[in-house]
Amino acid sequence: MNSLRRSAALAGFRLVIAGIPILWLGLFFLAPFLLVFRTSFADPVIAQPPFTPLFDAAGGIHATLDNYTLLLNDSLFLSSYLGSVRIAAISTLLCLIAGYPMAYAIARSPQPWRTLLLLLVILPFWSSFLLRIYAWMGLLGTHGVINSLLLDLGLIQRPLALMYNDAAVYLGIVYTYLPFMVLPLYAVLEKHEIALREAALDLGARPLRVFTDITLPLSMPGVVAGSMLVFIPAIGEFVIPALLGGLDTRMIGRALFDEFFINRDWPLAAAVATVLLLVIVLPLMVFQRGQARAHP
Amino acid sequence: MKGRSLAIYSWLAFGYAFFYVPIVLLVVNSFNASRIGSHWGGFSLHWYQQLLDDPQILAAAWLSLRVAFISACGATLIGGCAGLALGRFGVFRGRMALTGMVAAPLVMPEIITGLSLLLLFVALKSLTGWPESRGFTTITIAHITFCMSYVAVVVQARVATLDFSLEEAAMDLGGRPFRVLLDITLPGIAPALLSGWLLSFTLSLDDLVISSFVSGPGANTLPMLIFSKVKLGVTPDINALASIIIAVVTAGVVIAGVLMLRAERKRVAQRP
């Protein structure tokens, strides 16, 4: 009897502990997506809130596909989606190229050093993201540090246009998201690397061969996880293109932000968000799957 | 072999330079008397002085600090529950849903989260009359929502490394679940809760996009104010503000790191 009551208490306790986050996320994370979806079928009106309700006064359903037809026919949105995917993909590749050797070097460094080296990768992540982008504005600007240095050295006669273009956006994304690439790569490299590598080398394998046959395949989960952690948020990035990008830097996060805050067309912004969600749903599923496998 | 090692460690050094040089230059420049950042006009605290005389910045900073404090507490509580459930409860109903809902905010583009939360607050208002206006409360709720995922991940990772025989023994001896949680589980996951709290605090203090969506007229957080200023270019007083924020955050992280390291050593030393 006593043990029965105890297990009931335990079940109740677990229900509460698991129930609180499920309820919170259900209300404040999941339900809002349904509202975005619903709003994307509304018409914009000048009212508060600025869109038509789903049910009109007569009780009928008011839904329109206008926002989606507009979206598909407007070259601005199409090029913004493509631009976002392109910029995110190239930035992810750059992060991989820059981050892999870093993770490899940390994983191979002597044990006492590793924690410190890892901390130095994590630390920038703790300091403000907005301010780190702002710091680059001070470096890249027309009167910025790089330009004045080059001018003083006599290497250039006129300041270079280092900012307000796509290259500056790549730089900003790599700078911001590089830790997200290095950490999962380090996690897999640290686990498998040393013993297997030494065994292969002892057996006479050439270093390049060891890398392509052992290190690289074993680190693939880290490559996938890191790439998703960079690629998905980069697609929807707003701050970096807004501060470092040029007027012709088309990214969908910026288009959505402008549609919402400048044109005040909430239904169209909701449609843009819905399509953006469709764009990232595939990489999102790859990421979730990898996470589920890593934490069974 | 030696050459390869040298190359790879040079790359690592270059990586760290890439991370830190822009920040260091920013801090150095905040003491620059000259308005033009590229020329050193002598050491000066002028921009810091100007900062303290700007009521707009002080108001925004106060709002941001309040939001960050409450958000960090809420996110630690709710995210801690999520991490405990995911790391400790094995298979339960809703586990799949919770796993997905915890992982998704980590990578979800902020513009989507922001827009969707705003639509929720608007819908809630027309249904229930609450929230009456958008500002402190709505920003805090939004921040709890995206910060709790980070706490959950940190706590879950910590729970996975803990030995639960003590907990089970206490249960077998008739300890009530809540009592066991307070006396045994909580001290074990305390370092993770602390780092989760700090992480939430800094993430909240830093958020621009989500806050922009869910705040109302008149409620400007610090990042919103900074963004509206720096959109037009570099301004020296923002250099000073940035340096203060970076100094505070770095100090917080270092102190937390030292505390956690000490707690960890103590725990290892006490182990039989």
Side-chain angles (χ1 to χ4, degrees), chain A residues 17 24 28 32-33 35-36 98 101 104 109 117 120 123-124 126 128-129 134 137 143 148 175 253 260 284 288, chain B residues 8-9 11 16 18-20 38 81 103 107 111-112 116-118 120 122 144-145 171 206 230 234-235 239 249 253:
Chain A
I17 294 288
W24 182 280
F28 292 114
F33 283 121
L35 288 172
V36 172
Y104 190 79
S109 59
L117 290 173
L120 284 173
L123 202 60
W126 289 77
S128 170
F129 157 73
Y134 172 70
M137 294 176 74
H143 302 289
S148 40
Y175 184 64
F260 184 86
L284 205 59
Q288 296 271 37
Chain B
I8 210 155
Y9 282 114
W11 186 263
Y16 287 123
F18 177 60
F19 278 144
Y20 288 101
S38 51
C81 287
V107 288
I111 35 164
I112 297 186
S116 64
L117 273 165
L118 170 69
L120 177 80
V122 169
I144 290 176
T145 308
M171 293 274 205
D206 192 30
V230 304
V234 174
T235 61
N239 288 344
V249 169
V253 172

Side-chain angles (χ1 to χ4, degrees), chain B residues 3 12 17 20 22 27 33 55 60 67 96 112 118 133 170 184 190 230 248 260:
Chain B
L12 188 61
Y20 288 101
V27 175
V67 168
M96 275 287 282
I112 297 186
L118 170 69
S133 68
I184 298 172
V230 304
V248 168
M260 266 168 7

Side-chain angles (χ1 to χ4, degrees), chain A residues 79-250:
Chain A
S79 65
S80 294
Y81 281 114
L82 291 176
S84 274
V85 172
R86 180 177 51 93
I87 289 177
I90 294 175
S91 308
T92 306
L93 196 66
L94 292 174
C95 275
L96 193 59
I97 294 169
Y100 202 103
M102 287 183 74
Y104 190 79
I106 298 173
R108 275 184 54 186
S109 59
Q111 181 64 47
W113 282 91
R114 271 187 226 167
T115 318
L116 180 70
L117 290 173
L118 212 55
L119 262 176
L120 284 173
V121 173
I122 299 171
L123 202 60
F125 173 70
W126 289 77
S127 68
S128 170
F129 157 73
L130 178 62
L131 293 178
R132 276 183 292 143
I133 295 302
Y134 172 70
W136 274 101
M137 294 176 74
L139 260 79
L140 298 175
T142 314
H143 302 289
V145 174
I146 295 176
N147 265 325
S148 40
L149 205 65
L150 292 176
L151 282 170
D152 288 349
L153 291 173
L155 292 173
I156 52 171
Q157 264 66 51
R158 247 167 295 136
L160 302 170
L162 299 171
M163 208 161 59
Y164 305 128
N165 53 39
D166 284 9
V169 175
Y170 292 133
L171 182 82
I173 295 179
V174 171
Y175 184 64
T176 308
Y177 291 103
L178 191 55
F180 292 91
M181 182 63 89
V182 173
L183 292 180
L185 282 175
Y186 167 79
V188 288
L189 286 173
E190 193 245 359
K191 233 186 316 183
H192 302 296
E193 168 70 357
I194 305 300
L196 260 177
R197 228 180 61 86
E198 275 168 6
L201 285 174
D202 284 349
L203 292 173
R206 274 174 301 130
L208 185 67
R209 189 68 201 266
V210 174
F211 181 77
T212 55
D213 285 10
I214 295 175
T215 310
L216 197 59
L218 280 176
S219 63
M220 274 326 272
V223 172
V224 173
S227 299
M228 293 303 116
L229 280 175
V230 176
F231 183 71
I232 302 171
I235 284 187
E237 188 53 59
F238 161 72
V239 178
I240 297 171
L243 289 182
L244 295 178
L247 286 173
D248 59 342
T249 304
R250 299 264 168 87

